[in-house]
Structures are given as C-alpha cells and as structure tokens.
Amino acid sequence: MPTLKINNKEYEVNLKGHETLLEVLRDHLGLTGTKTACEESECGTCTVHINGKAVLSCIKLAADCVDDEILTIEGLAHADQLHPLQQAFLDKGAVQCGFCIPGMIMSAKELLEKNPTPTREEIDYALDGNLCRCAGYLKIIEAVEQAGREMKAAK
Amino acid sequence: MRTPINKDYIDPVGKSVPRIDGLGMVTGQTKYAFDVSFPNMLIGKMIRSPHPHAKILNIDTSAAEKLPGVRAIITAKDTHNIKFGSNEYFFPHTIDQMALEAEKVRYVGDELGAVAAIDEETAEQALRLIKVDYEILPAVVDMEEAIKPDAPQIHESLNNIAVILPVNFGNPDRALKEADYVREDVFFAPAAHQAALEPHVCVGQWEIFSNKVTLWASSQAPFKCREALAKTLKMDLNDVRVIKMSVGGGFGGKLEMLPMDFAACLLSKKAGGLPVKICYSREEEFLASRRKHGMKYTIKSGVKKDGTLVAITGEVLADGGAYCSYGPTVLAAAIMRIFMVYKIQHFRITGYRIYTNTPISGAMRGFGGVQAGFAIESHMDMLAEGIGMDPVEFRLKNITSPNMVTVNKMYLTTNGLKDCIEQATNAAQWTKKRGQQKNVCRGIGIGIAADVMGSKMYKSHESAGSIVKVEEDGSVYLFTGAADTGQGSNTALSQIAAHELGVSYSRIKCKSGDTEITPFDTGSFASRVTFISGNATILAARDAKNQVLDVVAQDLDLNSEELDIKAENVIRRADNSVVMTFDKALELCYAFKYGRQIIGRGSYNPKTTPIDFRTGEGNVSGSYGFEAQIAEVEVDKETGEVKLLKLWDAHDIGKAINPQSVEGQIEGSLAMGIGYTFLENLHFDKKGRPANGNFAHYRLPRTMGLPEMKSILIETNDPEGPFGAKGMGEASLLPTSAAIANAIYDAIGVRIKELPITPDKIIKALKEQQQTTKI
Ligand code: FES
Ligand code: FES
C-alpha cells in the first residue's frame, strides 16, 4: 500500500489513483484542517506544502506525492508552541470565520521562509491566490509582517 | 484544579482581547459543518431542474433506486407539501417555496428531490438515472420584461410582482413644485453573491424510534432554521435540533433553511436513520443558494437654494428571482433607511419586488442598503452640484440629529452622524482636496449611511436569551443562542459576560447556537447581535453575580446590595475595599454549607414599536448606527482604470466592545464594498443560469489592488446598548460604491450610474463627455 508522509508521520493509504491530495487528507485521513472552497485552483483555501513549496491540494493527485514531505496546517505548531504565523494571526485579529486561514498561513509560510522581510507588494503578490471574504486582508497582511520579523529574529 | 486567570483580560470591554475561538482556527482544529463526518454517513445530492420554467409531469426514480449503493430517494410525494419562506409574520402571502417542488419548477436549479448514496460518485450516477418529464413553459429572465402584462406568470401574483411597497409621507408632489432645483436619476446595482468561503453544507440524522431529527448546519440563524424545518417536516419544534457548527462566513446567505437542509433530514429518515451529508459545490452555491437583488433605483428630489432637501420621490424595481425569501424586507430596507440619514418630510418611493426565472434573491450583507446607498448617495452629490454646494456642506445641512423622531416614527437617540462626517472629512483633508486635483485626475468623494442595530422585523418578538453558569472550578460558561458566523460574536459576548460579572475574560467558555441547549435567539442578521444578545448577556451575568453576592453577604452577615464584583474581587461598593477574591467567593458558594450553583439567566427584547410595512411607520430598532465614508481615487483617462487610493471610514458604533474586531468588520465590509463597486456582477444567461457562477469568472477582491483603509471609531455611548454599544458590521458597506463614484466624478467629471464601475464604462462616459462639450 502506498505511504504518504504528512506532518512527519507515515500514513498508508488505499489509493485508486484518481484521488486528489485534498480528498485523501480530508476524507481518508480526517485531516480536516485543510479546507476547500472551489476545487478548481481559484481560491487557495486548500494550500498545503509539498517539500517546502505551497501547493494547491485540490489539483494535486495524491498518488504523485508518495515520496514527498507533506505539511498541513495541523503540522505547524509544536507541542503547544504555535508557529509565529499562527501567533501573529491571533495577535493581529486576522482571523474572522477562519475558513481561509489554514490556506492563507500555508501560502504566507512559503513566502516568509524565502524572504522574512517582504515588502507590502511582495506579500500582496504571494497571497493574491488566497481568497478571504471576511477580513479585508489588511490584518492578514499585518500578521504576515509581524511573523516575518519574528522568524527573522529567531534565525 | 482552578481555572488559570489571565490578569490582562480583566475588565475586557473596550480591549482588543484575542478571539475566543481563534486558536482552533489557526491550528486547523475548528470543526465546521463542512468537516462533520460520521461512520456510515451517506452523501446526498439534490435533483435539480434543467429548465427555467416548467410543469413537472412525472418523476421516475425506479432505475436510480436499483443502482447499488443508493440508500434513499425523495421527491415531493414523500413530503407534506408545506411551503416555507422568511417573511411569514409581515408578508404571509410571500411564503412561496416548497421544500421540494411538486408541480412546477421556476428556475434552473430548482429542487424536485434528492438522493442519498454511499458516496458522491454513486449519488451523482443516481441523479443521471432519474427521469423527469416536463412540460416546458416560457420563461422570463429580465425583471422589466417580467412585469409586462403578457409575460409568463411565474407564481399566482399579477404581473410577477410579489410585493408592492408604497412608502408615502407628507405631500411630495407639492413640495417638489416649491423646490428651486429638481432632478431625477436612474441607477442600477446588479445582483451579486455572498460567496462565503464555506459553502452551504449540512448533516441530517433522524432518530427513527423517537422521531427526532438533528441537523448539523452552517447557519446564521439556527433557531429560524429549526422553525422552517419543523414546519415543513410537520414536526414539533423541539423534535428538531439544529446545531450550528463554526460557520465559514454567511453574509446573509445562510439565514434560511434551504431545501438541502430539509432533504438531509428526510433522506436520513428514509435511509433508516443513517446520517446524510449534503455539501454544495461552488457552482451550486451560485445557482441554488441565495443572492443579492439586482435593483433599478429611480430617484427624483427637490432642494431649495439654501440646500434644504424638501422632497424625494421614486421607484425601486428589485429582481427577486424565483421565490420570495427575504425579499419583502430587503425591499423595505432599501427604501426606508433613508429616514435615519436625512431629515425629510415629503417622501414617496414605491418598491416592487419582481419574480423572474432566475436564482433566488435573498439577504446579503447590507440588506438592500448597498444598492440604495449607491443610488441615493450618488444622487445627493448631484443635487448638491445642481445648486453649487459642497457635497459635505449639503449633507451636514440635511442629516438627522440626536434625539429626533423621523417622519416614519423612528426614534434616533444617540446619533453620531455629524461627528462621523466631520472626523472623516478632516482625516481625509476634504477641503484641501475636493475639486483641487483634477489636473492629475484625482478626486475625493463622500457617502454617508445609517442602519438599524437591534431591530425587530421578523417575528412577534425578536428577543435573545443568555445563560451564564459559574462552575466550581472557576470557569464561566456562557450559553447564547446567537450565531457566530465569523464576525466574532462569541468573543464580544464573552467579553460582555466577563466584564459584567467582574472577572477575567480568560475564565469564559462560550457555547452558542444549539437549539437544544442554548436559549432562543433569532440569529446573526441586521447587525443585531451585539446590541440584543449583548443585553441579554449582561442581564445573565448580572444575575449570576447577584447569586454569588447573596452567598457572600449571607456568610458575612452583610447586605448583598452593598457588594459588587470588580476585577476578580468581591468589593464593598462604598469604598471599593476588597472583601474577598472571586475564587474565595466561589469556594463559599460551592461549600458544604451553601452548595449554591451559580446559574444566571437573561432575556432581552429591544424596546421598539412594530413597523407597519404598508406605511413604513414604526420605531423598528432599539438603536441606530451611523457612518461616513470618504474615497480617494486616481483615474487613468487612457485606459479607464480607476485606482482606489484610500478609504476613510468613520463609524458611530456606540462603543467598541473589541476595537480590533470592530476594525476587522469595517475592513471586511470595505473590501466587500470595493468588490461590488468594481468587480462583482452576477449575471444570467438566457435560461436564467448564472453566466459567471464560479470563482474563475465571478471575481472577488484579493490582496492586490486593495487601498489603504482607515477606520475611525466614533463612540456615542448608546443609553440602551450593552456598555453603550450599538451593532455594526453592515453599515460600512452601504456608502462605499457611492463614495467611490462621487470621487471619480470629482476626478474626471463623469458620472457612472451603473455598477460595477469598469474601465469600459469610464471610457464610454468620457467619450460622451467630450461629445457634449464639443456641442
Ligand atoms: S479549493 Fe483548491 S484552490 Fe480552491
Ligand atoms: S476569515 Fe473568513 S474567509 Fe477569511
């Protein structure tokens, strides 16, 4: 049986072959932190990391991820230590309904790992694929800036 | 073990404490209805009409029933054929939708039944095996076609007009004759979609032997959903339990029971009690949930030379789609909000809500006020220009004031509108910029608005209840029927409970929106929750506090009225001296001797008078909130592109319970307003289907291109509000489109009267402008 490595754990999954990674995460493994709002690569809600890169799990076949390191929102915090992005989203009041937040954080994480001090334009660009209908984005952008500063200081 | 106390969260009202449910959301732990799953759960799908208008002759489900894996199929013959709707109390004749249609379908997507199967693929395959015979009827998609006498009749109502609302005060015709300047304008604001990121989703489960049903729902109004379910399923109210999970956004779209909710319950019954989940795809969201009414707003007003607004007349046509939903009250709100904004004595606007064979219009954030706001606030600028007056000065001359009774008998107590206008214009440097930046095609524009914040519009009562239960370990449970849909009401209400009880917010645990265990609450709409549910919560916390104080007083042989709880301590009111800590007081309550459980309760019904929708008269709300907004734009005359530089928003919210959340609500509203101004336009093809019903084609605001936004919170301290608070969350959306349109006019001198404002409309208007100047 194929194995997927998700958040540093191995999961054997019974794949027919056509399942998306999103389906496998949510429906087979109960990792429902990853959301979906379109299933056609328009909203960013389903964003996860594969080998450190932000990827839309709704258009990624699970069978293609067998040798990869997959990271989902559930794998971000360690023990009760939140990732700086998670903490910053809380501090800045960037969370409203929360539905877009897992995807938003995963997209922001890719950006900040490459560049912890992005300009406003760079943040706008990196998050442009992630829809949020609640928050008007400003507090999300502020949260990303704060997290970047913390990630840089921690390096 | 005692509950740990965070001292920073003492006296939390007015502080930006973190959201009570935020941790779950940033870690992916929060469970939405979207995430609910049970063993042996079936997947349900709706049987939908492919025709915009047709008679149902026969439905043959036999082939689908034989498909392995299909567990239940329902059609109208499994139902009691009971209609439901949302304005039953005031507009009983608008109860026009069947949970599953039996005789006729009225739009592409209309529901005639549902299937439940072991998985999605099987359910979809079953749908393809269902044969429906139709007699196709002529359809009408455009509202102005629909009101013609020879148009196809969608319901019984004459000329497809479901509701006529004539709102009439004074003698507008005579007043117009006396005006120095009169003008008439016609505006169009299109349909749009709430587009909450979490789609409509539910899980229904029937308990076969006790005949009870539970629905896990993504709902803004679980108690209203329960009412509609009980009615259509013909059950006792309390045999239906609706559990609201965390909701991934609502914006008006999740205020009502949909046929899918009904179907999930009935399918579960037919499938022997297995749970059934129905989850909309994004395409179904656009097709068969609710949408915003497209509106044509004709408005004619007269003013005196000195700027006094003397009369307003007009007509509103609202495209209602196939059924009424919240349409009647949306239409009313699109007409009557103006009385909160402008002192006007002579008024006549008649509204028509029109059936078309298109998706159903219902509530969307702003509730008719966004379309009206665009029309009215654009028109006001044009009136001001007609008499050569500055638009801000014009508004200041005509706005309502504190402690006034409007012509339709609304009683405005606190009213920060003037303050909002002054602070917004100061912040934006209005006088320096208005009309001064034409050389660089920059302009600045204003829009103002007001809204009900604690209204009663749907039922005989619109009360809210709260329970505050203080446990032995020092934790405080708040049970509220209010439905947090992401706006943060659980947080605000928890702050209110903690503050009134005199303890840290970190003690509070909030359970909300479960019809079986939380008190009744009509739900999250009309910006009512902070005001109404907040007041119920204060009363419950006060009751709990008094119960604690009774025990302390009894034990120390004091009079409980001399005591209070402040900042985690029981104190003497007279000198604020500490009697004992709150924890010590709880030890007493739960000691052998007393054994007193602390359970406070509160119920609040706003002091309003019933509104008479035939006349538009009544003090519909317990408080009214106000709003002024300024937009600054730069227009590229070559390309027609408008760059929105900055928005300033000054909002009278009474008191900010949580300033960060308030700002979040304002920013979210502004983004939605920007989307509606420039991008969003849900339109329909010849069959009445959404022509852009997915996220690839229905464009929403994203990070790129968003302007700077500045919120200014005006605190007028409402005497009836909890800690002075009014509601909020919708008003900031009302004037945005007009503020932007007015700024564009200031920049380049062209007037766009039809949303969305797109480059081609700007170019076209510029061409027309050139032609007229040549002549
Ligand atoms: S669900 Fe993958 S992009 Fe929308
Ligand atoms: S917080 Fe609701 S969609 Fe972003």
Side-chain angles (χ1 to χ4, degrees):
Chain A
M1 215 184 280
T3 308
L4 291 180
K5 194 163 172 216
I6 305 165
N7 304 334
N8 274 322
K9 280 202 186 84
E10 312 258 323
Y11 294 85
E12 301 85 52
V13 279
N14 204 344
L15 292 179
K16 287 187 200 144
H18 63 266
E19 299 91 341
T20 63
L21 177 59
L22 174 74
E23 262 176 280
V24 171
L25 290 172
R26 289 183 53 85
D27 301 343
H28 299 203
L29 303 175
L31 292 166
T32 55
T34 304
K35 307 297 185 208
T36 143
C38 76
E39 295 190 51
E40 51 183 22
S41 73
E42 293 293 339
C43 72
T45 317
C46 64
T47 308
V48 299
H49 279 208
I50 297 179
N51 304 327
K53 274 187 61 101
V55 169
L56 299 176
S57 64
C58 72
I59 50 164
K60 181 84 192 166
L61 284 181
D64 290 346
C65 305
V66 169
D67 297 317
D68 296 331
E69 300 267 349
I70 300 164
L71 181 72
T72 71
I73 190 72
E74 287 96 340
L76 231 56
H78 292 292
D80 49 8
Q81 183 65 43
L82 292 180
H83 186 276
L85 268 163
Q86 292 172 313
Q87 189 59 51
F89 270 62
L90 287 181
D91 293 347
K92 291 291 176 189
V95 181
Q96 287 192 28
C97 81
F99 206 77
C100 69
I101 297 298
M104 203 63 92
I105 288 181
M106 298 311 279
S107 293
K109 184 170 185 283
E110 185 193 37
L111 167 73
L112 294 183
E113 271 161 7
K114 280 191 265 173
N115 173 12
T117 50
T119 61
R120 168 76 196 260
E121 285 70 38
E122 285 165 330
I123 298 175
D124 284 355
Y125 187 73
L127 298 185
D128 200 54
N130 290 75
L131 285 176
C132 172
R133 189 58 156 164
C134 300
Y137 302 103
L138 284 194
K139 295 199 165 4
I140 291 172
I141 292 163
E142 283 171 24
V144 174
E145 286 167 344
Q146 174 187 315
R149 285 191 294 272
E150 261 147 48
M151 284 164 74
K152 192 173 176 205
K155 262 191 190 167
Chain B
M1 219 187 71
R2 304 211 64 84
T3 298
I5 303 306
N6 185 334
K7 294 262 190 235
D8 292 342
Y9 300 158
I10 286 173
D11 290 335
V13 163
K15 290 187 186 161
S16 295
V17 299
R19 288 177 64 108
I20 199 152
D21 43 12
L23 187 64
M25 289 170 176
V26 297
T27 53
Q29 305 294 300
T30 299
K31 289 274 180 268
Y32 300 79
F34 194 67
D35 303 319
V36 170
S37 163
F38 295 109
N40 302 314
M41 187 173 80
L42 303 174
I43 299 299
K45 291 268 168 207
M46 304 305 293
I47 308 171
R48 299 191 182 283
S49 163
H51 305 297
H53 199 194
K55 266 198 198 135
I56 305 164
L57 301 177
N58 183 48
I59 308 178
D60 177 5
T61 58
S62 55
E65 267 156 49
K66 287 191 204 109
L67 183 71
V70 172
R71 294 285 182 265
I73 300 181
I74 53 169
T75 63
K77 63 181 192 317
D78 300 284
T79 74
H80 298 285
N81 287 322
I82 297 172
K83 287 181 178 169
F84 72 102
S86 287
N87 287 138
E88 186 146 19
Y89 190 69
F90 289 108
F91 299 93
H93 72 283
T94 66
I95 302 305
D96 60 2
Q97 191 177 5
M98 214 83 95
L100 300 173
E101 292 301 332
E103 289 166 5
K104 211 166 119 160
V105 286
R106 297 178 179 86
Y107 75 103
V108 174
D110 210 349
E111 288 99 348
L112 348 143
V115 302
I118 48 167
D119 56 28
E120 198 171 339
E121 273 178 338
T122 314
E124 267 162 12
Q125 213 182 330
L127 286 183
R128 288 193 289 271
L129 294 174
I130 291 168
K131 279 209 198 64
V132 186
D133 297 328
Y134 295 98
E135 178 192 326
I136 294 176
L137 302 170
V140 59
V141 168
D142 180 84
M143 66 175 168
E144 290 184 79
E145 292 299 319
I147 47 175
K148 291 186 179 157
D150 54 351
Q153 290 299 291
I154 300 169
H155 291 264
E156 304 295 294
S157 54
L158 191 64
N159 296 336
N160 290 315
I161 297 172
V163 183
I164 303 182
L165 273 184
V167 181
N168 200 341
F169 293 97
N171 190 338
D173 296 322
R174 196 178 63 205
L176 278 180
K177 282 198 195 105
E178 288 161 10
D180 296 320
Y181 176 70
V182 176
R183 65 171 299 137
E184 181 178 75
D185 297 294
V186 183
F187 298 89
F188 182 75
H193 201 269
Q194 297 85 355
L197 282 204
E198 184 196 29
H200 283 78
V201 53
C202 67
V203 180
Q205 182 162 34
W206 203 286
E207 289 172 38
I208 295 296
F209 297 106
S210 52
N211 257 328
K212 285 188 164 187
V213 69
T214 302
L215 186 83
W216 289 264
S218 180
S219 171
Q220 292 178 247
F223 286 88
K224 290 177 77 72
C225 182
R226 175 183 69 164
E227 196 178 290
L229 274 178
K231 183 185 180 204
T232 46
L233 292 166
K234 236 186 167 178
M235 291 171 78
D236 287 341
L237 208 51
N238 277 301
D239 287 336
V240 180
R241 178 181 187 183
V242 177
I243 301 174
K244 177 200 77 78
M245 305 296 292
S246 281
V247 177
F251 316 114
K254 293 176 178 168
L255 276 174
E256 296 168 85
M257 180 195 90
L258 293 190
M260 65 172 310
D261 299 306
F262 172 90
C265 296
L266 201 58
L267 285 169
S268 172
K269 183 182 186 183
K270 219 173 171 187
L274 292 180
V276 176
K277 184 171 190 173
I278 302 184
C279 181
Y280 266 17
S281 67
R282 185 53 56 184
E283 237 119 298
E284 278 179 301
E285 273 299 296
F286 281 103
L287 179 69
S289 57
R290 293 291 183 262
R291 64 171 174 98
K292 187 188 209 119
H293 293 70
M295 282 189 199
K296 183 175 171 191
Y297 215 106
T298 307
I299 179 166
K300 178 174 177 184
S301 311
V303 288
K304 293 267 189 207
K305 271 199 217 93
D306 69 353
T308 312
L309 187 58
V310 292
I312 296 175
T313 61
E315 180 187 86
V316 184
L317 303 185
D319 173 11
Y323 298 97
C324 264
S325 171
Y326 273 101
T329 35
V330 168
L331 181 62
I335 299 174
M336 295 179 202
R337 271 196 188 87
I338 194 167
F339 301 124
M340 309 166 209
V341 185
Y342 293 104
K343 290 181 294 208
I344 182 87
Q345 295 301 320
H346 304 286
F347 183 90
R348 183 183 60 241
I349 288 188
T350 306
Y352 301 87
R353 188 180 186 277
I354 301 156
Y355 286 125
T356 54
N357 295 114
T358 62
I360 306 162
S361 302
M364 180 168 165
R365 194 180 201 177
F367 216 75
V370 179
Q371 301 93 315
F374 171 60
I376 295 165
E377 286 303 294
S378 299
H379 178 69
M380 290 300 160
D381 257 43
M382 295 156 87
L383 286 171
E385 193 192 24
I387 52 164
M389 202 167 181
D390 175 77
V392 170
E393 199 188 325
F394 177 74
R395 285 177 175 81
L396 285 172
K397 181 148 186 90
N398 289 295
I399 54 171
T400 53
S401 53
N403 298 313
M404 75 166 269
V405 180
T406 65
V407 69
N408 68 327
K409 304 256 163 36
M410 287 172 171
Y411 182 40
L412 313 179
T413 50
T414 56
N415 179 344
L417 188 49
K418 182 163 179 269
D419 223 9
C420 289
I421 294 175
E422 283 169 355
Q423 295 219 27
T425 45
N426 282 343
Q429 297 183 292
W430 176 271
T431 24
K432 218 177 101 193
K433 290 178 183 166
R434 174 75 186 186
Q436 306 299 314
Q437 311 177 90
K438 289 192 197 305
N439 51 340
V440 285
C441 296
R442 273 194 188 200
I444 190 166
I446 187 171
I448 62 176
D451 207 357
V452 295
M453 291 171 177
S455 62
K456 277 197 284 201
M457 272 203 264
Y458 303 107
K459 253 180 100 83
S460 48
H461 73 97
E462 198 120 328
S463 63
S466 282
I467 295 172
V468 169
K469 185 164 74 117
V470 189
E471 298 272 316
E472 204 168 346
D473 68 347
S475 52
V476 178
Y477 276 89
L478 166 63
F479 292 90
T480 165
D484 198 332
T485 58
Q487 79 275 39
S489 63
N490 283 352
T491 303
L493 295 175
S494 297
Q495 288 177 259
I496 288 172
H499 201 99
E500 180 63 26
L501 188 58
V503 301
S504 168
Y505 162 79
S506 61
R507 288 183 188 265
I508 311 281
K509 300 176 195 321
C510 181
K511 302 279 155 218
S512 69
D514 178 334
T515 62
E516 198 160 279
I517 59 170
T518 64
F520 178 87
D521 191 301
T522 30
S524 281
F525 55 87
S527 303
R528 63 180 282 286
V529 174
T530 307
F531 186 84
I532 301 183
S533 315
N535 269 320
T537 301
I538 285 203
L539 294 173
R542 193 172 296 157
D543 188 18
K545 175 159 80 176
N546 288 339
Q547 292 173 25
V548 175
L549 293 178
D550 275 347
V551 175
V552 174
Q554 196 181 337
D555 198 66
L556 299 179
D557 210 7
L558 295 166
N559 183 347
S560 68
E561 261 137 52
E562 291 162 20
L563 302 175
D564 200 354
I565 303 175
K566 285 261 148 73
E568 289 281 332
N569 288 311
V570 176
I571 57 160
R572 279 187 194 78
R573 280 176 194 273
D575 58 359
N576 285 343
S577 61
V578 174
V579 179
M580 66 178 71
T581 63
F582 182 73
D583 278 329
K584 267 271 169 290
L586 280 189
E587 264 173 41
L588 265 184
C589 294
Y590 286 99
F592 185 85
K593 183 171 168 194
Y594 297 106
R596 276 278 291 279
Q597 296 208 21
I598 306 302
I599 306 169
R601 63 184 186 88
S603 164
Y604 182 79
N605 194 28
K607 295 174 195 154
T608 63
T609 57
I611 181 159
D612 183 340
F613 280 104
R614 282 160 313 186
T615 59
E617 203 165 281
N619 185 32
V620 65
S621 183
S623 81
Y624 297 88
F626 301 88
E627 160 81 30
Q629 211 169 90
I630 311 267
E632 188 171 5
V633 301
E634 191 177 288
V635 187
D636 183 331
K637 279 185 163 182
E638 298 294 308
T639 62
E641 280 316 320
V642 178
K643 185 162 187 221
L644 183 55
L645 301 170
K646 187 161 177 174
L647 282 173
W648 291 263
D649 183 88
H651 195 344
D652 165 16
I653 37 89
K655 159 93 189 166
I657 302 289
N658 184 322
Q660 194 181 54
S661 285
V662 169
E663 276 171 28
Q665 281 297 299
I666 293 177
E667 289 162 14
S669 289
L670 295 180
M672 211 177 254
I674 295 166
Y676 191 56
T677 308
F678 291 116
L679 305 170
E680 297 178 41
N681 174 12
L682 185 62
H683 54 280
F684 308 101
D685 66 11
K686 273 195 223 117
K687 287 180 106 183
R689 293 172 299 200
N692 55 344
N694 55 46
F695 280 161
H697 298 102
Y698 186 88
R699 289 168 61 217
L700 292 165
R702 294 174 181 264
T703 42
M704 303 240 280
L706 270 191
E708 254 187 87
M709 305 179 198
K710 169 81 188 142
S711 353
I712 302 164
L713 308 186
I714 309 279
E715 302 199 318
T716 48
N717 209 355
D718 194 89
E720 265 294 306
F723 300 101
K726 306 178 179 185
M728 59 115 22
E730 292 182 273
S732 306
L733 185 61
L734 308 184
T736 310
S737 298
I740 294 170
N742 291 341
I744 291 171
Y745 183 80
D746 186 42
I748 56 169
V750 301
R751 182 54 69 181
I752 307 294
K753 293 184 180 175
E754 185 182 325
L755 293 176
I757 300 174
T758 50
D760 56 307
K761 286 183 194 157
I762 299 261
I763 296 285
K764 188 165 163 252
L766 280 169
K767 280 205 184 116
E768 281 164 12
Q769 183 195 44
Q770 267 174 3
Q771 270 154 17
T772 38
T773 41
K774 262 187 221 146
I775 298 163

